[in-house]
């Protein structure tokens, strides 16, 4: 596994789903994700990645997950995870669950992509064009949840020719088995995997 | 050229860019598009298509075009039309240009897709998944502008296996030559082309 | 989890990478994948799925994986699994590794898609259009390897609105941990998971 | 309109459909395209672009168009141009129409992409990944036909963040009106348009 170069001109930090419904006890699925979110201190790790990115002049992109009434009412082809999200009205823009967690409110170094539907912004939001229009070819990836939205963004970034460093401890999942599945797959699909402490240092030192 | 079946269960009306900056005299590019917009009475034709769709229980999707400061400031690879839009701050969400025209305000039969960037929602918004999740395989396409966003949505819908009826007189463009280019290309790429009067009748009678 | 309807008019069997380099002892990575390929008797299970599909008049699509000298020599952004494949010249069309295994030679009920590059045909081959042009909206998915190409085809089919039944025992992977990662993720992302015995029966009875 | 920099490390020449069925009198649609193909001397212009690219160490990619019996027999959603191609069995790999024209046979500076289906390789072949894996961000685009495959490749390259120079006289179309439609649209969508004489000079001088 190579060590990617974190160049300020061509690298972005990409955070998936930094929202209440994954990261705060008021989440509608906290019984499923709460344990590994707290174990990994995900909010704090993403905050540190953001701060370091700002220090190194590396832009941060959020790829949020959102649904609304018209989708809950009319989607006809729900898979297992869709069904869970729709049953719990996860990421409902009418409530608070789709809000960004307060510690991670977008700032002037954050660009918020359109919401993705299902798991990957490369299929349903503007991730690709927003990154390419800024000359980004290297992505530092973290967020929620490890084996679903993070992993789908990883897979699709790779299919589109980006190099991806996945931060293995700034993420969590619906249980240890789901988290382990993600880590196993990152080991095959990412260009590099690293932990927050290491990545924070490299982001802050970017030029 | 076949005549497509307008089935209420599998057809949608898709309208691109039904916004002030294309359809109203306060548009920042009215000197370019105003003439053919008025000649074709585009706002009124789209309104008639919407009303007929509601009558036939056919859902309407809007694919809007939007930009914001962070894009005006940082996109590095502008083509000719991007450059025009960025110079005039067309579709700036900070102003009124990106607003829907009042006659075409979304109603409870309208689903608003995420904004597309550049010309096609199939690349940068959720057009594909929102249509497929509702069982749509046939699209009635109209809006602005004829040879740019309408035509790009047409081309990409076809690449993804949708059948497309393009409404040839519920659109306009930056001059007669641009409009003619679109009409020529629709003749090759659409499954059917038809005029508003005919389409309105078929939408209203959909079952 | 719902039980999908296997309708002969709108269902396809999709098999990823049914090739020597994953399924036969002469594979360049047999030391990695051989054990679970043999445990699961993957070749025999795929053969049974094919036979049943033919009986039920359900078409079969192959999405093969191939590389050639010009790629081995010039790709600049290899991730971990690319690096393994390039180091071993896996799926090299100049050798036998990219050939279909003899038991699974395409027949007159098999359509061979263009080769996919990296993990998903929905990004780099004609999977989407070949399926949609035939009215397919439901996919029965199996093949190699479980957590890489099968899972990427699953994720992307779902993003494009297909319903997917993943066959959990007609696949294998580079070790038990990789196989388990896939099974965990299928449980979230597929519309249905089922075993070969059950799927064979349903395919053969399709109408 | 800016003048793009032709850098040997990040530029590729992309040629669509350099095949018998568009460029030679034995084409099944020569009655439609022959006149503008000959007027523009398209084969000779593409040959000059190829030679200049080789001189400047700029790689050349071919995006061919192909169909086979299984497609002619089973595609259900043909648009107008599909219907023409299917009626004439254009680009049938069983005949000679899909062969490259002899003057443009791929050489060791040519990479042949998988065949595209319908009009754009960015949807149905490996254009995106083959270009990105080699660090390409700038495309010099030419080939056939002007308002169909060339224009669809142009539109999709732009949606994916490439900069595109379209060569306006190394292309042709099914009649003057179709050619004019393409030229009009290139003027909006390309980053630069230029003629062969100019582009040949810049390619040969690339570093």
């Amino acid at each position: 596994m190579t060590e990617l170069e974190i160049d300020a001109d061509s690298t972005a930090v990409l955070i998936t789903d930094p929202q209440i419904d994954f990261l705060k006890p008021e989440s509608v699925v906290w019984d499923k994700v709460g344990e590994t979110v707290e174990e990994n201190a995900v909010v704090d790790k993403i905050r540190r990645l953001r701060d370091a990115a700002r220090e190194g002049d590396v832009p941060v992109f959020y790829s949020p997950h959102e649904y609304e009434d018209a989708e809950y009412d009319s989607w006809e082809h729900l898979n297992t995870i869709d069904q869970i999200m729709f049953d719990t009205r996860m990421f409902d823009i009418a409530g608070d669950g789709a809000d960004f967690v307060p510690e991670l409110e977008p700032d002037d170094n954050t660009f918020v992509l359109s919401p993705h539907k299902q798991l990957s912004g490369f299929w349903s939001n503007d991730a690709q064009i927003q990154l390419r229009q800024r000359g980004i070819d290297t992505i530092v990836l973290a967020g929620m949840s490890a084996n679903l939205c993070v992993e789908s963004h990883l897979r699709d970034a790779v299919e589109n020719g980006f190099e991806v460093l996945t931060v293995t401890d700034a993420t969590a999942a619906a249980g240890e088995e789901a988290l382990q599945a993600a880590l196993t797959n990152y080991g095959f699909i990412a260009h590099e995997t690293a932990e927050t402490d290491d990545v924070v240092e490299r982001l802050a030192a970017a030029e």
Side-chain angles (χ1 to χ4, degrees), chain A:
Chain A
M1 192 173 280
T2 43
E3 176 164 313
L4 295 187
E5 191 183 354
I6 308 290
D7 184 282
D9 288 334
S10 56
T11 304
V13 173
L14 176 60
I15 307 292
T16 59
D17 303 10
Q19 295 161 274
I20 300 283
D21 262 345
F22 259 142
L23 291 172
K24 287 288 174 179
E26 52 267 46
S27 159
V28 294
V29 294
W30 194 244
D31 60 317
K32 294 187 174 66
V33 301
E35 192 173 327
T36 63
V37 167
E38 291 190 335
E39 268 174 26
N40 273 358
V42 177
V43 173
D44 192 58
K45 295 234 180 75
I46 295 175
R47 193 191 49 72
R48 291 176 56 209
L49 290 167
R50 272 166 48 100
D51 290 351
R54 164 188 291 279
E55 196 178 333
D57 243 344
V58 172
V60 176
F61 291 77
Y62 282 180
S63 183
H65 205 148
E66 292 178 8
Y67 296 111
E68 62 183 275
D69 276 354
E71 292 156 339
Y72 294 125
D73 294 345
S74 66
W75 279 28
E76 301 168 3
H77 305 290
L78 305 182
N79 65 0
T80 306
I81 183 61
D82 290 337
Q83 193 65 60
I84 292 170
M85 293 191 291
F86 276 45
D87 285 347
T88 59
R89 298 188 77 89
M90 193 173 177
F91 300 125
D92 186 349
I93 59 167
D96 301 328
D99 291 353
F100 294 117
V101 303
E103 298 93 324
L104 302 176
E105 269 298 309
D107 62 18
D108 62 3
N109 193 44
T110 315
F111 185 84
V112 180
L113 300 170
S114 296
H116 62 84
K117 305 293 162 173
Q118 299 184 321
L119 306 181
S120 169
F122 288 89
W123 283 112
S124 58
N125 76 18
D126 50 340
Q128 165 92 348
I129 192 63
Q130 298 289 2
L131 294 166
R132 290 295 183 192
Q133 277 285 1
R134 290 160 173 92
I136 306 299
D137 56 28
T138 302
I139 294 171
V140 173
L141 180 65
M144 291 292 295
S145 70
N147 65 319
L148 297 175
C149 296
V150 178
E151 188 173 331
S152 278
H153 282 74
L154 164 61
R155 287 178 187 255
D156 291 345
V158 169
E159 297 280 351
N160 283 283
F162 293 91
E163 298 197 342
V164 187
L165 185 169
T166 304
V167 188
T168 52
D169 60 346
T171 187
E176 291 290 347
E177 194 180 284
L179 184 53
Q180 186 52 51
L183 297 179
T184 297
N185 287 345
Y186 298 168
F188 288 95
I189 302 169
H191 290 74
E192 182 186 357
T193 55
E195 299 202 343
T196 303
D197 285 349
D198 173 40
V199 177
V200 159
E201 201 169 306
R202 288 155 67 189
L203 281 170
E207 290 180 16

